[in-house]
Amino acid sequence: MTEENTLWKQRASTFWNEAVRYLRLIGNSGLLFAVIFTVIFGSYYYSKILKALPENFPGILLMSVVLTFFLVKSPIRTFLKEADLVFLLPMEYRMNAYFRYSLVYSILFQAFIIVLLMVVFGPLYHDQVEGGWLSYPVIIILLILVKGWNLWGKWSETHLPDWNAPFWYVSIRIMASFVMVYLLLKQAPILYLLIPGIGMILLMYFYFNPVQKNHPLKWQQLIKMDQEQSMKFYRFANLFTDVPKLQQSVKPRPVVSKALEVMLRGSSSVHEFLYWKAFARANDYWGIYIRLTVVGIVLMLVIPGLYGILIGLGLIVYLTGVQLSTLKLHYWGNIWLRLYPLREDTSNAFSKVIFLLLAIQSVVLAITNLISQKELVTSFLALFIGLFISYVYGFLLVNNRERMED
Amino acid sequence: MKNLLEIEGLTGGYNPNRPVLHDVSFNVNRGEIVGLIGLNGAGKSTTIKHVLGLLEPMKGQVKIDGKGFHENREDYRKNLAFIPETPMLYDELTLWEHMQVTAMAYGVKEADLDKRSGLLLKEFRMEKMRDWFPSQFSKGMRQKVMIMCAFLIEPPLYIVDEPFVGLDPIGIQSFLEMIVNLKEQGAGILMSTHILSTAERYCDRFVILHDGKVVLEGTMNEMRSRINRPDATLDEIYILATRGEI
């Protein structure tokens, strides 16, 4: 019995050791500052929006839908690995303790998310749901119970073979969870709450539990579910640093590639060639660049006043730089770049690429501003700030990026 | 004329306290194929890494065309092409772009690139895959990309690590024909492999490595007479050598 417990703890701590190292890197990057900035801005506008809400705004319905989504989506963190199919499969009948740990861990972790969600909903909740027999903390506790019920249901569903589509099981969970959440937020009398409550308990005994007894574990599904969760974290971390474990996806993007081809004609720098190709196709660098530029264009259209424009443009260019800087590590450890007979400066090639990208973005944003506000001086200053940040970031700051060593 | 590749008293590896190679010496001349033979862990890959300049010798030296890696890195590397055991491709480049970037790195002129790539794509039946990405390739196709990029450079020296794994029979045939062709034009080829029957037919000389030492070296006939087995095959010689019976 004990060895499965230690195995689970070992797996969990391996993951968290690694996660903490990434989180520390993320904490050190300048982006955290920008996130805090955004949160402060966001909460300011949040309270403004709340005041402006019409009387008949369906706040409870909105909260119920969002909460139901997070309640029903209940992935189970098993920390299983591909190789377990070979090594742990024979031990399946002794793995109960291992999976109990997984379930408890998943409940705790996802309860935290529910609490977080309720904190975010706090102002809206107090605006819409005032005075009732259920207080705010009691509702949170009841929501966590619903979460536990959903995880138990999900655990049963993972026992089902593929042909026995879990679609119906999920539909039942969605309906039950939604009814329960909606009645809770509506402060329905206890008799009404008992109906879905008893229904959920009956489902557990006559639906979930038999499935667990009658079907063996589906290991491949469990492993896939765990990998998806790891990948989610790695993708997030990959915005800040190079994550070696992340399976890179490549998109052909023929139009962008063609444009680059024309632009690169006559260039002889191998590093620049490779960085441009990676920017266009690998890892969604292109998507990040376009998304941030679009956000910048919207900002340029809505922000009034000189300082707002300058800060907005500066922030967008800086954030784009931070997000693109992991591109530098893209060819880290590539054997060919070490074998080529080249006398090239990698850093300089990369700086040129980043500077050019940020400069193009600055020009686009400044022109957008000129068209929308027709203030030549403002646009000119904005362009100047943008190019200045592009230069400083591209040629000086970008070289400070760290790489996570394995 | 100097030897094309000259390895002299090479002691090397990753850890100075535990060298993998001990006093290894052999040459590759212009116009010959030398087979580098040995068990897993005998030191073939380490030898190749030293030749590529990825590892530094602890003792002894490696020279290409009479010059060491440290005398002029660019010239040294311009003189060789490498075909790795496991294909290493750029995920975000198409087949054609792999050839393009190789040509850029080795200063192959555009006209030469067009001519050579056309011939290579045809020879290896990869014309249709010109704009494919590595994720669409099978193991053998990936190996072909490596081979085509190496042949594109047309350097004096080729370092080939286990080229046959994953290649289809026609691909192997094309590869061997081209290697023989290059040899006749004066190139030197150092080829490590486990496919001994093929090596026996195509290599002019052999270097048998065991536990980081050269245990036997020479043409088939030279090796046969060294061990007094006038009709031994390469397989037999190799097994005797690795049992320490030579």
Side-chain angles (χ1 to χ4, degrees):
Chain A
M1 212 47 167
T2 43
E3 52 192 280
E4 292 86 62
N5 299 356
T6 42
L7 180 66
W8 192 90
K9 281 178 191 154
Q10 220 174 17
R11 290 277 174 90
S13 74
T14 313
F15 172 78
W16 275 102
N17 279 339
E18 191 188 40
V20 164
R21 287 199 298 159
Y22 278 119
L23 290 173
R24 211 175 287 148
L25 264 186
I26 293 167
N28 287 341
S29 76
L31 205 82
L32 206 62
F33 154 79
V35 168
I36 292 168
F37 206 67
T38 319
V39 167
I40 294 169
F41 258 127
S43 52
Y44 173 72
Y45 281 108
Y46 186 12
S47 65
K48 269 197 155 176
I49 289 170
L50 274 186
K51 278 185 199 120
L53 279 184
E55 276 298 308
N56 56 355
F57 179 76
I60 291 181
L61 190 67
L62 176 78
M63 282 189 282
S64 306
V65 169
V66 175
L67 281 167
T68 305
F69 176 79
F70 280 94
L71 285 169
V72 171
K73 204 167 137 344
S74 295
I76 294 156
R77 203 69 228 259
T78 53
F79 296 113
L80 289 180
K81 294 170 194 289
E82 203 97 54
D84 291 345
L85 261 182
V86 180
F87 295 102
L88 289 186
L89 198 58
M91 305 222 317
E92 183 177 323
Y93 66 100
R94 291 203 298 155
M95 295 279 287
N96 282 338
Y98 184 97
F99 290 121
R100 204 174 308 127
Y101 267 97
S102 298
L103 282 170
V104 171
Y105 172 89
S106 303
I107 288 179
L108 291 179
F109 193 82
Q110 289 169 34
F112 171 73
I113 292 174
I114 294 296
V115 172
L116 206 69
L117 203 61
M118 281 304 282
V119 169
V120 173
F121 275 145
L124 183 62
Y125 174 90
H126 291 297
D127 187 67
Q128 301 266 327
V129 192
E130 234 12 302
W133 67 284
L134 291 165
S135 66
Y136 182 59
V138 171
I139 287 195
I140 292 181
I141 290 168
L142 291 172
L143 285 176
I144 291 172
L145 283 179
V146 179
K147 174 92 244 178
W149 178 80
N150 269 290
L151 267 163
W152 191 247
K154 177 76 183 187
W155 177 238
S156 302
E157 280 158 28
T158 54
H159 285 68
L160 292 170
D162 282 338
W163 45 262
N164 196 345
F167 173 79
W168 294 110
Y169 290 78
V170 180
S171 309
I172 286 167
R173 282 202 291 125
I174 291 175
M175 280 190 299
S177 302
F178 179 78
V179 170
M180 193 62 173
V181 174
Y182 188 76
L183 289 178
L184 281 175
L185 292 180
K186 271 282 183 199
Q187 301 278 352
I190 191 148
L191 261 174
Y192 285 105
L193 290 179
L194 278 177
I195 298 168
I198 291 171
M200 284 160 92
I201 291 169
L202 290 178
L203 276 171
M204 206 161 101
Y205 277 101
F206 295 105
Y207 221 39
F208 295 167
N209 292 357
V211 167
Q212 288 184 30
K213 269 206 199 80
N214 297 336
H215 296 278
L217 277 178
K218 297 294 171 292
W219 283 75
Q220 273 164 318
Q221 268 193 51
L222 289 175
I223 292 168
K224 200 173 138 234
M225 188 159 63
D226 198 71
Q227 276 173 346
E228 273 164 13
Q229 291 176 81
S230 299
M231 282 303 138
K232 230 183 244 173
F233 177 73
Y234 289 142
R235 255 197 298 273
F236 171 68
N238 199 57
L239 293 173
F240 305 89
T241 181
D242 182 52
V243 179
K245 280 201 187 129
L246 192 70
Q247 290 140 8
Q248 310 280 1
S249 62
V250 169
K251 299 199 184 81
R253 291 200 227 284
V255 178
V256 191
S257 298
K258 202 76 207 162
L260 279 180
E261 214 166 282
V262 174
M263 196 183 96
L264 285 169
R265 190 154 290 157
S267 145
S268 62
S269 164
V270 170
H271 284 96
E272 281 176 45
F273 179 90
L274 289 173
Y275 280 132
W276 280 114
K277 293 287 179 191
F279 164 72
R281 290 173 183 155
N283 233 344
D284 206 30
Y285 293 112
W286 168 258
I288 289 167
Y289 182 73
I290 290 300
R291 278 197 293 278
L292 279 167
T293 307
V294 168
V295 171
I297 288 174
V298 172
L299 283 183
M300 292 299 106
L301 292 176
V302 298
I303 296 181
L306 176 65
Y307 292 114
I309 293 284
L310 296 186
I311 291 173
L313 188 139
L315 207 64
I316 289 291
V317 173
Y318 174 74
L319 282 182
T320 310
V322 171
Q323 301 274 279
L324 291 182
S325 60
T326 49
L327 178 60
K328 181 169 188 181
L329 306 166
H330 194 79
Y331 293 108
W332 197 91
N334 183 296
I335 188 173
W336 297 115
L337 285 171
R338 288 162 70 201
L339 288 182
Y340 290 151
L342 294 174
R343 204 193 282 269
E344 265 180 29
D345 185 354
T346 326
S347 294
N348 193 48
F350 183 67
S351 290
K352 269 161 88 176
V353 172
I354 287 292
F355 171 71
L356 212 60
L357 282 170
L358 297 183
I360 290 170
Q361 191 184 46
S362 305
V363 171
V364 169
L365 295 185
I367 289 176
T368 309
N369 173 255
L370 184 65
I371 293 169
S372 82
Q373 302 197 346
K374 301 187 179 63
E375 289 266 2
L376 200 57
V377 181
T378 311
S379 306
F380 185 76
L381 274 175
L383 179 65
F384 176 77
I385 292 271
L387 292 179
F388 177 73
I389 293 176
S390 307
Y391 184 83
V392 170
Y393 195 83
F395 283 94
L396 304 173
L397 293 178
V398 83
N399 293 320
N400 297 334
R401 300 296 290 184
E402 306 164 67
R403 185 182 192 275
M404 183 86 144
E405 296 296 339
D406 240 1
Chain B
M1 209 152 54
K2 287 177 233 112
N3 288 316
L4 180 56
L5 170 67
E6 210 176 316
I7 301 178
E8 222 183 271
L10 174 66
T11 298
Y14 306 87
N15 182 344
N17 299 322
R18 268 186 295 123
V20 178
L21 302 175
H22 306 274
D23 199 20
V24 168
S25 301
F26 65 88
N27 300 321
V28 177
N29 298 314
R30 290 175 183 77
E32 71 170 351
I33 303 176
V34 175
L36 186 61
I37 315 277
L39 292 178
N40 298 327
K44 294 179 308 250
S45 293
T46 313
T47 308
I48 285 175
K49 278 184 188 151
H50 276 287
V51 175
L52 295 176
L54 292 176
L55 287 175
E56 258 184 81
M58 294 161 197
K59 248 188 257 162
Q61 48 194 354
V62 181
K63 285 181 171 178
I64 296 181
D65 210 11
K67 286 198 191 98
F69 179 61
H70 291 287
E71 290 173 51
N72 186 336
R73 293 179 190 200
E74 284 86 57
D75 282 354
Y76 182 95
R77 288 200 160 142
K78 252 196 174 117
N79 279 329
L80 65 87
F82 172 50
I83 301 174
E85 183 183 5
T86 9
M88 291 176 286
L89 283 80
Y90 296 105
D91 288 333
E92 61 280 340
L93 296 194
T94 62
L95 166 55
W96 167 245
E97 285 162 350
H98 275 88
M99 300 178 101
Q100 228 182 336
V101 81
T102 309
M104 278 170 85
Y106 289 85
V108 176
K109 290 193 197 74
E110 215 167 309
D112 288 334
L113 168 65
D114 286 340
K115 205 180 89 204
R116 292 176 195 170
S117 64
L119 290 173
L120 285 166
L121 286 167
K122 191 154 181 261
E123 179 69 40
F124 286 100
R125 303 157 164 258
M126 295 285 279
E127 285 157 307
K128 279 186 213 139
M129 295 86 167
R130 217 181 105 110
D131 295 319
W132 285 25
F133 286 91
S135 58
Q136 298 163 280
F137 289 145
S138 67
K139 164 100 201 306
M141 290 179 186
R142 291 165 154 259
Q143 189 67 15
K144 283 180 181 175
V145 178
M146 296 282 91
I147 292 170
M148 288 189 287
C149 284
F151 285 166
L152 194 65
I153 311 168
E154 296 196 354
L157 178 65
Y158 293 82
I159 310 293
V160 188
D161 197 356
E162 201 62 76
F164 306 115
V165 181
L167 277 189
D168 58 57
I170 297 176
I172 292 178
Q173 204 46 46
S174 299
F175 171 76
L176 288 168
E177 276 166 21
M178 297 192 93
I179 282 281
V180 169
N181 239 329
L182 289 166
K183 173 185 111 171
E184 278 159 8
Q185 288 163 27
I189 295 116
L190 177 66
M191 184 165 80
S192 120
T193 182
H194 281 134
I195 316 288
L196 298 182
S197 52
T198 311
E200 186 173 343
R201 265 191 291 153
Y202 286 88
C203 296
D204 302 295
R205 283 196 300 123
F206 301 88
V207 175
I208 299 185
L209 275 182
H210 189 57
D211 286 340
K213 292 182 191 116
V214 177
V215 288
L216 201 58
E217 192 196 340
T219 61
M220 279 307 288
N221 283 333
E222 284 168 2
M223 291 196 295
R224 282 174 183 142
S225 63
R226 270 272 312 274
I227 59 167
N228 290 324
R229 298 270 299 260
D231 36 49
T233 63
L234 184 58
D235 280 272
E236 288 161 348
I237 296 174
Y238 174 71
I239 287 165
L240 284 176
T242 52
R243 278 194 196 140
E245 287 173 22
I246 292 173

